[in-house]
Amino acid sequence: VQLQASGGGLVQAGVSLRLSCAASGRTFSTYNMGWFRQAPGKEREFVAGIRSGGSTYYADSVKGRFTISRDNAKNTVDLQMNSLKPEDTAVYYCGATRYFSARLPGAYDYWGQGTQVTVSS
């Protein structure tokens, strides 16, 4: 599976942004997918996950603000980010895993190249 993330940008606090991750390969629908982020000087952290069947799970820091979704027909997984805060500033990565509820980067087999999200106050 090859992944490519897009949709990042520079925005002001309070606005919305939608990230998209395009996947290649016929097995996309069998993978559980996740979004992570990494701020400068910090470790990569889990943001949101969506299982192959469509159920979702989130980090507490984004619950209620971010929504992850997938379209298996288009081989995409999106992250809708609302009410953005300066602390959401990071490079965002999408990943694919065989694990059911993976929250650790080491559980992911494939990664996209990352897309920068910068939220100004």
Side-chain angles (χ1 to χ4, degrees), residues 64-93:
R65 298 190 298 125
F66 290 10
T67 302
I68 188 172
S69 60
R70 68 189 297 162
D71 187 332
N72 288 336
K74 295 181 179 179
N75 278 15
T76 58
V77 56
D78 291 350
L79 184 68
Q80 177 67 39
M81 305 185 294
N82 298 330
S83 303
L84 281 163
K85 304 176 181 179
E87 51 264 43
D88 294 319
T89 295
V91 178
Y92 282 71
Y93 298 89

Side-chain angles (χ1 to χ4, degrees), residues 39-80:
K42 295 189 176 182
E43 294 185 350
R44 190 171 296 189
E45 66 172 1
F46 171 78
V47 174
I50 185 165
R51 303 177 182 94
S52 58
S55 58
T56 59
Y57 53 109
Y58 298 91
D60 288 343
S61 59
V62 306
K63 200 173 293 183
R65 298 190 298 125
F66 290 10
T67 302
I68 188 172
S69 60
R70 68 189 297 162
D71 187 332
N72 288 336
K74 295 181 179 179
N75 278 15
T76 58
V77 56
D78 291 350
L79 184 68
Q80 177 67 39

Side-chain angles (χ1 to χ4, degrees), residues 100-121:
F100 192 63
S101 299
R103 294 176 180 258
L104 296 177
Y108 284 73
D109 300 308
Y110 303 99
W111 292 98
Q113 85 285 9
T115 184
Q116 176 72 48
V117 173
T118 303
V119 184
S120 63
S121 57

